[in-house]
Amino acid sequence: MHPAPSVIIFTALSGLGFGMMVFLGLGFLDVSGWVAFVFVAVAYALSGGGLLSSLFHLGHPERFVKALRQWRSSWLSREGILSIVTMAVFGIYAVMWIFTDVRNPALGSLAAALAVVTIYSTSMIYAQMKSVPRWHSPMTSVLYLLYGFAGGALLTAQVTLAGWLMLALAVVQVVTWVQGDGAFAKTGSDMGTATGLGFLGKVRLLEKPHSGTNYLMSEMIHVIGRKHIMKLRIIALTLGSLIPAVLLLALPSGHVLGLVVIMIHLVGLFAQRWLFFAEAEHVVGLYYGQR
Amino acid sequence: MTTLPQSTEKKLGLVIDLDTCVGCHACVISCKEWNTSNYGAPLSDMDAYGAEPVGTFLNRVHTFEVKQENKPAQVTHFPKSCLHCEDAPCVTVCPTGASYKRVEDGIVLVNESDCIGCGLCAWSCPYGAREMDAAEGVMKKCTLCVDRIYNENIPEEDRVPSCVRTCPAGARHFGDFADPESNVSILTAERGGMELMPEQGTKPVNRYLPPRPKTDIEQIDILAPLLTRQPEETGGFLGWLDRTLEKL
């Protein structure tokens, strides 16, 4: 799949923002007033910024309100509604926290629960795609949730918790890659089933339908950069979770270290999201003799 | 609504005969011509006269080669357009309700004024039946020529999808799969019409008729009699002259 920057930024940043809301809503981080305001502002900048970025991916961003209608069937629609509701509920909680120094536990827990469901619905936009076997797995949701939790814990200064979550993330990330590598073969889809010609022998593409490229090929058959996949996986794994985990658990905590770990985690997170799209193969590639 | 109908009154769709298709791409061109000038936004081309032209098409013809070991290869031309699936994933993923399946005839359509161009429906389609138009920013797909098949302003023989009407080989058939007596149902039953990628669980309506396994046919060299010179038996004056000259 084509790793569009707008979608990479959307999933990465909104995951972090809603991850922060989970911990702030559950009453973690014992601060108040201006300090609380800064944390709330960061959570909003990340979640809101991510959502705004996703609009740049649309052919008609001015019609985005229409996307809130089909919550009965569409995960994208659910994600849109849930993120708005989450931000609204968290907003009430945050205003009370900042101005009256009251952290309403009921309201906070509700906001935290909504934030979890929002991250889950983001993951389901991808996990529902049967046509993209690597994504079509519960592991996609586990991964998105853990990235949200680990990043959220890190950004709300939950040093030890963030360290352990980063370790869990590293394990889940490796499991997801191993499982994902065999996902396409498990579907049973090949050029034989795609064309129905499998009963005649081994199928190969003799001629493409056109001399150039097309929307399908540029959007769903992304082969550029796949040769660097192992290097990028190592970067995503070490910077995204392993090094942050070691630094958080082994070194004495402090603001400078926190900032360094956040930067390292961000680089790893973006590498992971780039891979998430670039590595994913769509079955339509079978009609083009590519994956 | 982007939830799928429980069932549709008709199941309109195509039967594509892979045994007959000659790969001329006439269906591709007539589809583009009809659909760029009728229902919905035109099918744009980008850089049409430049070095790297790309464009929106609702129907494309791939060509595949099938090969068994120690046997000659067999070539099959393979037209591909929307299969109007009964369990169409492109409909349920749509966040706006722009993508829908009609209850009356099962045609999957896009309401272009509601489409936000998120591209999720194209991602969900295993067959690559949907293409985002680069100029309009909305999703385009086969409409089964919904503006032809019910159109009383055109002659009756033209009230079939443009690709079916134009196919010079008669490789494309249009009809109602819900009716067991229809041309498409009979063709499917008699010729073993295939579903594409049934393991994707989309329940496609369109069917493909399999090509005959040509590599199993005993090899007959139809040119052989023409290539070996046979003694000529001509009558009349020229025959006499030929025979006489031969004797000399």
Side-chain angles (χ1 to χ4, degrees):
Chain A
M1 304 297 286
H2 172 62
S6 56
V7 181
I8 293 175
I9 294 170
F10 154 60
T11 62
L13 296 192
S14 71
L16 285 175
F18 289 115
M20 282 184 81
M21 289 184 191
V22 172
F23 289 96
L24 296 179
L26 289 177
F28 286 88
L29 194 70
D30 191 18
V31 292
S32 58
W34 274 107
V35 185
F37 173 79
V38 170
F39 278 94
V40 168
V42 171
Y44 271 109
L46 290 170
S47 53
L51 290 169
L52 216 63
S53 160
S54 73
L55 296 183
F56 289 102
H57 181 63
L58 303 178
H60 280 277
E62 78 283 0
R63 298 178 186 160
F64 84 95
V65 179
K66 292 186 174 186
L68 306 177
R69 298 196 296 212
Q70 298 300 325
W71 50 271
R72 286 181 201 82
S73 74
S74 166
W75 279 106
L76 182 56
S77 192
R78 288 170 198 164
E79 200 269 345
I81 295 168
L82 280 164
S83 46
I84 291 168
V85 173
T86 306
M87 287 166 91
V89 173
F90 183 76
I92 303 167
Y93 170 79
V95 166
M96 285 168 67
W97 179 21
I98 294 163
F99 293 102
T100 65
D101 204 15
V102 175
R103 294 179 82 170
N104 186 311
L107 211 53
S109 311
L110 179 65
L114 281 167
V116 173
V117 185
T118 306
I119 301 174
Y120 176 73
S121 63
T122 308
S123 76
M124 283 309 289
I125 296 172
Y126 307 101
Q128 70 180 333
M129 295 284 163
K130 208 173 175 185
S131 51
V132 186
R134 186 182 284 278
W135 290 351
H136 189 58
S137 156
M139 290 310 290
T140 300
S141 299
V142 177
L143 196 68
Y144 267 67
L145 284 167
L146 257 182
Y147 266 105
F149 295 158
L154 174 63
L155 288 169
T156 52
Q158 304 306 309
V159 180
T160 319
L161 186 59
W164 289 111
L165 283 169
M166 291 282 175
L167 268 184
L169 179 60
V171 175
V172 166
Q173 180 65 79
V174 172
V175 172
T176 310
W177 277 328
V178 171
Q179 192 213 39
D181 288 345
F184 203 111
K186 263 193 189 159
T187 61
S189 295
D190 55 25
M191 289 183 77
T193 67
T195 60
L197 300 174
F199 75 98
L200 284 170
K202 193 168 163 38
V203 184
R204 78 176 186 96
L205 184 74
L206 187 64
E207 254 193 289
K208 281 202 303 180
H210 39 78
S211 54
T213 182
N214 67 21
Y215 168 76
L216 299 168
M217 296 182 76
S218 50
E219 184 76 7
M220 285 163 237
I221 311 172
H222 182 84
V223 284
I224 311 155
R226 280 209 189 135
K227 60 178 173 178
H228 298 304
I229 271 176
M230 270 328 282
K231 284 179 203 164
L232 278 162
R233 280 189 179 181
I234 292 166
I235 292 171
L237 185 68
T238 49
L239 300 186
S241 46
L242 279 180
I243 293 177
V246 171
L247 292 180
L248 290 169
L249 293 174
L251 294 182
S253 56
H255 281 98
V256 180
L257 179 74
L259 217 62
V260 170
V261 175
I262 289 169
M263 287 304 155
I264 293 172
H265 176 69
L266 273 178
V267 175
L269 173 62
F270 278 103
Q272 187 270 341
R273 285 300 144 92
W274 189 89
L275 272 173
F276 179 76
F277 291 96
E279 273 192 297
E281 299 160 324
H282 195 290
V283 292
V284 77
L286 295 170
Y287 291 105
Y288 291 88
Q290 297 176 16
R291 287 260 293 266
Chain B
M1 271 292 284
T2 57
T3 41
L4 285 159
Q6 287 288 315
S7 64
T8 55
E9 289 160 38
K10 282 182 176 181
K11 286 182 198 173
L12 296 185
L14 302 174
V15 161
I16 294 166
D17 190 345
L18 297 179
D19 202 38
T20 311
C21 175
V22 294
C24 68
H25 290 241
C27 54
V28 177
I29 302 308
S30 76
C31 165
K32 177 103 172 181
E33 185 277 330
W34 178 267
N35 286 293
T36 204
S37 42
N38 290 283
Y39 176 94
L43 304 171
S44 70
D45 292 314
M46 299 284 132
D47 196 23
Y49 303 99
E52 287 172 12
V54 283
T56 313
F57 285 80
L58 311 183
N59 179 31
R60 294 182 186 265
V61 179
H62 300 236
T63 300
F64 295 102
E65 180 194 78
V66 196
K67 179 101 172 66
Q68 287 180 52
E69 221 172 312
N70 302 322
K71 284 194 176 169
Q74 178 172 345
V75 170
T76 301
H77 302 290
F78 188 92
K80 184 166 66 64
S81 54
C82 174
L83 307 168
H84 297 278
C85 302
E86 285 182 58
D87 206 346
C90 56
V91 170
T92 49
V93 297
C94 178
T96 69
S99 186
Y100 65 105
K101 187 172 174 68
R102 306 210 313 174
V103 183
E104 61 268 40
D105 52 19
I107 299 179
V108 177
L109 283 179
V110 175
N111 174 355
E112 290 173 7
S113 57
D114 273 1
C115 176
I116 57 170
C118 68
L120 212 56
C121 54
W123 284 12
S124 74
C125 174
Y127 309 106
R130 290 170 169 244
E131 299 189 13
M132 180 102 75
D133 189 86
E136 289 289 332
V138 295
M139 198 53 74
K140 300 296 296 184
K141 70 174 295 299
C142 162
T143 67
L144 266 185
C145 286
V146 70
D147 47 356
R148 282 177 74 100
I149 58 176
Y150 300 113
N151 192 338
E152 292 185 357
N153 297 315
I154 59 176
E156 204 172 337
E157 64 265 33
D158 286 337
R159 290 177 208 162
V160 290
S162 185
C163 57
V164 175
R165 186 75 180 97
T166 210
C167 178
R172 304 180 70 100
H173 307 268
F174 166 70
D176 178 14
F177 285 86
D179 172 11
E181 299 301 314
S182 69
N183 59 337
V184 287
S185 295
I186 291 168
L187 271 170
T188 303
E190 286 183 351
R191 300 268 310 275
M194 311 180 291
E195 282 184 23
L196 303 184
M197 279 198 272
E199 68 278 5
Q200 284 282 328
T202 53
K203 292 197 247 165
V205 169
N206 285 11
R207 289 289 193 274
Y208 284 76
L209 304 182
R212 279 169 292 173
K214 291 172 195 154
T215 52
D216 292 339
I217 299 171
E218 204 183 317
Q219 293 296 305
I220 306 165
D221 193 350
I222 53 162
L223 289 175
L226 300 171
L227 293 173
T228 16
R229 273 192 88 85
Q230 301 293 320
E232 283 171 35
E233 290 296 329
T234 333
F237 173 71
L238 283 174
W240 172 81
L241 192 66
D242 183 45
R243 283 192 300 276
T244 314
L245 287 172
E246 200 72 37
K247 280 175 195 162
L248 284 175

